[in-house]
């Protein structure tokens, strides 16, 4: 949205000139200047350089257009749109997202975060395949305009994710090069360098971040590994045993409840598919408990052990907040209990009680 009226009003007050003075300079009526400042009309395009020069601004500055968005500005756009997705139809918000992207089509960081925004909300659309196609176009655009290695790497990972959603695993393998490369271990080199420079706290911060990310990724990978090993009871049970140990050891229920609920839900899913009620209900109970008591309000954080994470978390592109509106998160959790694999258990007393507890518990959460 053009901010020219606000800019003209601010600049006129800064110079302490009247509407008459500006109108005389532009050879228009005082009423025209008044309408500009109220946003009821815009100056003729031929007047823009003249007005910009009068206020010693560029035309972009006069229009209120920032060519380069700061990280904070991108975060603001992301969370404003994420909030609207929880209150308005996907289609109405999507139109405004597209318009904003057109305005900053030259800005790879903005395209990247808007791609993440739509990836987190495309399921609300009545035409999800078209939204995924749009995301792919923006990610391809990043490849063409960015030279930032980190941005390009993230765009590549997102394109691989989109390809999986489009049931195109061949493209995912191609994008990810199809093989796992050995970890180079730059974090250890980085921490050692800080240690040799006498900065022990920074060295410890680097190691903490490395441990934190590895633990989260380890537990986060368990849902897929459980599905893959479901036909092998020994591996399946050992995976559950080890993940439970990690969750307790690192107090993940409070440190990162989201990764815990993914694990609990995946165990319940596998138990349901094998009609194993003895395994199903303990893990579905854990899932409901963590959703009701620990998940909301969601925020990435450290704890007594990970006590040097805060600065690093604040530096993340989208900060520490949840990437979806709270109401959308609640809705998705409640709908998770409607999954097809839970259908045979719908009339069980335990299932009825858990569904009710989940619904009432989430409604009581802010």
């Amino acid at each position: 949205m053009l901010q020219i009226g606000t800019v003209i009003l601010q600049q006129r007050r800064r110079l302490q000139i009247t509407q008459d003075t500006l109108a005389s300079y532009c050879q228009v009526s005082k009423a025209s200047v008044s309408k500009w400042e109220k946003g009821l009309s815009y100056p003729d395009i031929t007047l823009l350089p003249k007005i910009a020069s009068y206020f010693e601004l560029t035309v972009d500055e006069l229009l209120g257009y920032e060519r380069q968005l700061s990280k904070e500005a991108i975060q603001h756009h992301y969370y404003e749109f994420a909030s609207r997705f929880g209150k308005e139809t996907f289609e109405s918000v999507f139109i405004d997202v597209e318009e904003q992207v057109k305005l900053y089509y030259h800005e790879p960081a903005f395209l990247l975060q808007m791609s993440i925004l739509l990836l987190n909300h495309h399921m609300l659309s009545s035409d999800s395949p078209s939204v995924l196609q749009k995301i792919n176009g923006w990610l391809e655009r990043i490849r063409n305009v960015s030279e930032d290695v980190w941005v390009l790497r993230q765009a590549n990972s997102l394109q691989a994710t989109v390809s999986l959603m489009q049931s195109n695993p061949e493209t995912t393998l191609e994008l990810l090069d199809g093989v796992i490369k050995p970890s180079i271990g730059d974090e250890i080199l980085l921490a050692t360098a800080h240690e040799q420079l006498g900065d022990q706290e920074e060295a410890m911060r680097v190691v903490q971040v490395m441990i934190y990310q590895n633990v989260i990724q380890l537990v986060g990978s368990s849902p897929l590994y459980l599905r893959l090993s479901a036909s092998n009871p020994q591996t399946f049970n050992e995976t559950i045993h080890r993940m439970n140990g990690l969750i307790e050891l690192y107090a993940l229920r409070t440190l990162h409840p989201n990764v815990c609920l993914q694990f609990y839900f995946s165990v319940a899913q596998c138990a349901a598919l094998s009609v194993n009620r003895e395994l199903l209900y303990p893990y579905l109970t854990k899932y409901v408990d963590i959703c009701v008591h620990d998940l909301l309000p969601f925020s990435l954080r450290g704890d007594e052990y990970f006590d040097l994470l805060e600065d690093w978390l604040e530096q993340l592109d989208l900060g520490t907040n949840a990437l979806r509106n709270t109401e959308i998160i609640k809705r998705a959790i409640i709908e998770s209990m409607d999954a097809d694999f839970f259908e045979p258990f719908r009339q069980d007393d335990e299932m009825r009680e858990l569904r009710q507890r989940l619904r009432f518990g989430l409604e009581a959460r802010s």
Side-chain angles (χ1 to χ4, degrees):
M1 182 180 293
L2 292 177
Q3 303 294 324
I4 187 169
T6 304
V7 174
I8 288 175
L9 177 61
Q10 290 171 344
Q11 292 299 317
R12 186 174 61 76
R13 286 176 174 171
R14 179 179 66 84
L15 296 181
Q16 298 182 336
I17 61 171
T18 64
Q19 288 181 337
D20 276 328
T21 302
L22 181 59
S24 175
Y25 172 79
C26 296
Q27 297 181 308
V28 298
S29 67
K30 177 186 174 185
S32 295
V33 173
S34 176
K35 287 182 179 177
W36 297 346
E37 294 181 351
K38 292 176 180 174
L40 300 176
S41 68
Y42 298 122
D44 186 275
I45 192 170
T46 58
L47 287 175
L48 297 182
K50 190 174 182 178
I51 300 173
S53 176
Y54 186 77
F55 290 131
E56 297 181 335
L57 301 174
T58 65
V59 172
D60 279 353
E61 290 170 336
L62 177 66
L63 294 171
Y65 174 65
E66 297 177 59
R67 184 166 174 78
Q68 298 296 327
L69 285 172
S70 65
K71 187 174 82 172
E72 290 74 21
I74 293 174
Q75 282 185 12
H76 175 77
H77 283 296
Y78 183 101
Y79 287 113
E80 186 175 75
F81 285 131
S83 174
R84 288 181 57 193
F85 275 128
K87 304 169 187 169
E88 305 174 30
T89 64
F90 177 90
E91 283 67 26
S92 65
V93 182
F94 182 53
I95 289 171
D96 290 344
V97 174
E98 279 192 299
E99 288 302 312
Q100 205 66 29
V101 166
K102 288 176 185 173
L103 204 55
Y104 296 103
Y105 204 48
H106 60 281
E107 179 64 84
F110 186 68
L111 290 174
L112 186 71
Q113 300 311 329
M114 290 302 100
S115 298
I116 294 173
L117 174 78
L118 292 192
L119 267 178
N120 279 314
H121 297 88
H122 72 95
M123 70 293 294
L124 303 174
S125 168
S126 58
D127 187 6
S128 181
S130 294
V131 178
L132 293 176
Q133 197 60 38
K134 176 66 70 175
I135 297 170
N136 225 4
W138 293 350
L139 295 171
E140 200 57 43
R141 166 76 175 172
I142 292 174
R143 288 179 179 276
N144 294 329
V145 299
S146 179
E147 295 181 350
D148 186 312
V149 174
W150 175 237
V151 170
L152 288 170
R153 187 175 166 188
Q154 291 181 82
N156 192 66
S157 294
L158 290 177
Q159 276 196 294
T161 303
V162 171
S163 295
L164 277 183
M165 292 177 171
Q166 294 174 320
S167 301
N168 190 357
E170 293 84 1
T171 300
T172 300
L173 289 175
E174 184 181 337
L175 287 166
L176 300 181
D177 225 9
V179 294
I180 302 173
K181 295 182 175 62
S183 173
I184 297 175
D186 286 349
E187 295 90 346
I188 296 298
L189 294 175
L190 190 60
T192 305
H194 283 301
E195 182 189 28
Q196 290 184 2
L197 288 170
D199 192 345
Q200 186 166 345
E201 181 170 315
E202 192 55 33
M204 288 186 68
R205 189 191 321 279
V206 172
V207 177
Q208 271 199 20
V209 169
M210 181 187 70
I211 295 172
Y212 172 83
Q213 291 191 100
N214 285 341
V215 169
I216 300 303
Q217 288 175 9
L218 188 55
V219 179
S221 68
S222 64
L224 175 59
Y225 198 58
L226 286 169
R227 289 202 304 275
L228 294 172
S229 63
S231 61
N232 183 332
Q234 185 175 354
T235 302
F236 182 80
N237 292 329
E238 185 63 20
T239 301
I240 293 175
H241 173 69
R242 294 190 183 205
M243 292 303 147
N244 278 325
L246 275 174
I247 288 171
E248 183 174 355
L249 188 63
Y250 285 96
L252 292 183
R253 179 163 172 152
T254 51
L255 180 66
H256 202 298
N258 188 46
V259 79
C260 298
L261 70 86
Q262 290 175 35
F263 166 65
Y264 295 147
F265 188 81
S266 64
V267 176
Q269 176 185 2
C270 293
L273 291 171
S274 60
V275 198
N276 184 346
R277 283 182 167 80
E278 290 185 359
L279 186 62
L280 169 64
Y281 286 116
Y283 279 89
L284 211 48
T285 300
K286 287 173 182 271
Y287 173 72
V288 170
D289 283 346
I290 206 165
C291 289
V292 170
H293 298 296
D294 302 295
L295 184 63
L296 299 174
F298 180 84
S299 177
L300 294 174
R301 54 184 174 265
D303 61 12
E304 289 185 3
Y305 180 71
F306 291 107
D307 61 347
L308 298 173
L309 290 186
E310 297 302 327
D311 288 345
W312 175 75
L313 290 171
E314 290 294 336
Q315 290 173 14
L316 297 176
D317 288 340
L318 290 173
T320 59
N321 295 328
L323 299 183
R324 291 180 185 168
N325 174 278
T326 299
E327 293 307 312
I328 294 178
I329 294 174
K330 289 181 181 178
R331 201 184 313 156
I333 291 172
I334 291 171
E335 289 174 357
S336 69
M337 299 292 275
D338 295 329
D340 291 344
F341 42 80
F342 290 144
E343 181 63 32
F345 310 93
R346 187 139 306 168
Q347 301 308 317
D348 289 3
D349 290 341
E350 297 99 320
M351 182 62 82
R352 288 179 175 178
E353 190 272 332
L354 284 171
R355 288 168 64 91
Q356 193 173 41
R357 190 146 64 88
L358 181 64
R359 182 176 295 278
F360 290 153
L362 287 177
E363 284 176 356
R365 301 291 294 185
S366 59

